[in-house]
Amino acid sequence: MTAGVTITIQGAVAVLTICNEPLNLLTRAIRGDIERIARDVGSDDSVRAVVVTAAGSRAFSAGSDIREFPSTQDAGRNRAMHEQAGCDALADLPQPVIAALFGHVLGGGLELALACDLRIADTTARLGLPEVKLGVFPSGGGTQRLPQLIRPSTARRMILLGEVVGSAKAAEVGLVDEIVNPGEAASSAIEVAHQIANLPVLAVRAIKKSINTGLAAGVRAGSAVDIELIAGLFES
């Protein structure tokens, strides 16, 4: 099977599946697929929620394919921009995005999960940003999103030491929102996605935009956006 990303539509839920077994390594082509598919999904009003998962049972994604690591500054800068574009494409979707995690969720794989709104992991999941052990660091948004999601000191420790944690520890620190039995992450994420899809779509999208604005620009900016968003909902 050719490595890539597939999309299936289940009612009002789009399911994106990373396919590059056994470890679902993130190649430049796969990141490009994610960015392209996210653009398409974002403009499809019939899609009300999105799930991101992966093929197989060994890894959601063990991270970037190190065979593609660049050897010059210009190439490294280009790579980082490409990595961020793929993660940003997920984060910027107007629909809520749920990551279904299992097995290895490392490096760029965890960065993709961090770009999602919710994370459901099964008990096999092991999550971390171990890039420092290769002499680099997570440049696809991990250094920015992880400290926003969990306690900054815990995020610093994970990134500086390249720590990998199990699903129980990840839930304890707030890195994942729910733990399920092995093999059930995708079905659980799809179930939650359908619950969201059945709620008033304008309100759901407004809530996501409000939260993200506040996280990115601060409480006052988020509150200012709230005023306009809620005003629009009263007219809907």
Side-chain angles (χ1 to χ4, degrees):
M1 179 184 293
T2 302
V5 180
T6 65
I7 178 171
T8 57
I9 304 297
Q10 300 186 18
V13 174
V15 181
L16 279 59
T17 304
I18 301 167
C19 301
N20 191 18
E21 295 187 70
L23 295 177
N24 292 312
L25 296 177
L26 299 174
T27 63
R28 186 178 181 89
I30 286 177
R31 292 181 187 279
D33 283 350
I34 292 170
E35 187 176 357
R36 173 183 55 80
I37 291 172
R39 283 199 304 267
D40 292 342
V41 168
S43 62
D44 188 344
D45 289 338
S46 69
V47 174
R48 295 191 169 197
V50 178
V51 170
V52 181
T53 188
S57 59
R58 188 171 169 186
F60 171 77
S61 173
S64 298
D65 189 337
I66 63 173
R67 292 171 295 185
E68 293 186 349
F69 273 20
S71 57
T72 67
Q73 285 191 17
D74 285 344
R77 184 178 297 107
N78 182 269
R79 177 184 177 82
M81 291 172 63
H82 191 64
E83 289 178 346
Q84 291 185 12
C87 291
D88 289 348
L90 287 180
D92 292 342
L93 280 171
Q95 303 97 333
V97 185
I98 306 167
L101 309 175
F102 59 90
H104 300 299
V105 188
L106 303 175
L110 180 54
E111 289 183 302
L112 284 179
L114 290 171
C116 299
D117 300 294
L118 299 173
R119 283 153 293 279
I120 295 176
D122 77 14
T123 54
T124 70
R126 290 182 56 78
L127 305 89
L129 296 170
E131 285 90 340
V132 66
K133 296 177 180 179
L134 296 176
V136 290
F137 70 91
S139 59
T143 57
Q144 308 305 310
R145 290 192 173 99
L146 187 60
Q148 282 195 333
L149 181 64
I150 67 176
R151 191 170 63 183
S153 61
T154 303
R156 288 189 183 100
R157 178 181 175 91
M158 286 185 66
I159 298 170
L160 286 169
L161 296 178
E163 281 189 344
V164 176
V165 300
S167 56
K169 180 65 173 180
E172 179 185 328
V173 301
L175 180 50
V176 300
D177 304 292
E178 182 180 349
I179 302 175
V180 296
N181 292 325
E184 295 181 1
S187 59
S188 296
I190 291 169
E191 180 180 350
V192 172
H194 280 297
Q195 292 174 9
I196 292 173
N198 287 329
L199 295 169
V201 62
L202 295 180
V204 167
R205 293 189 178 202
I207 289 167
K208 175 170 178 173
K209 183 174 182 179
S210 171
I211 292 171
N212 287 350
T213 300
L215 287 173
V219 173
R220 288 187 180 277
S223 296
V225 167
D226 283 353
I227 293 171
E228 296 307 316
L229 289 173
I230 197 68
L233 291 180
F234 282 125
E235 281 194 349
S236 69

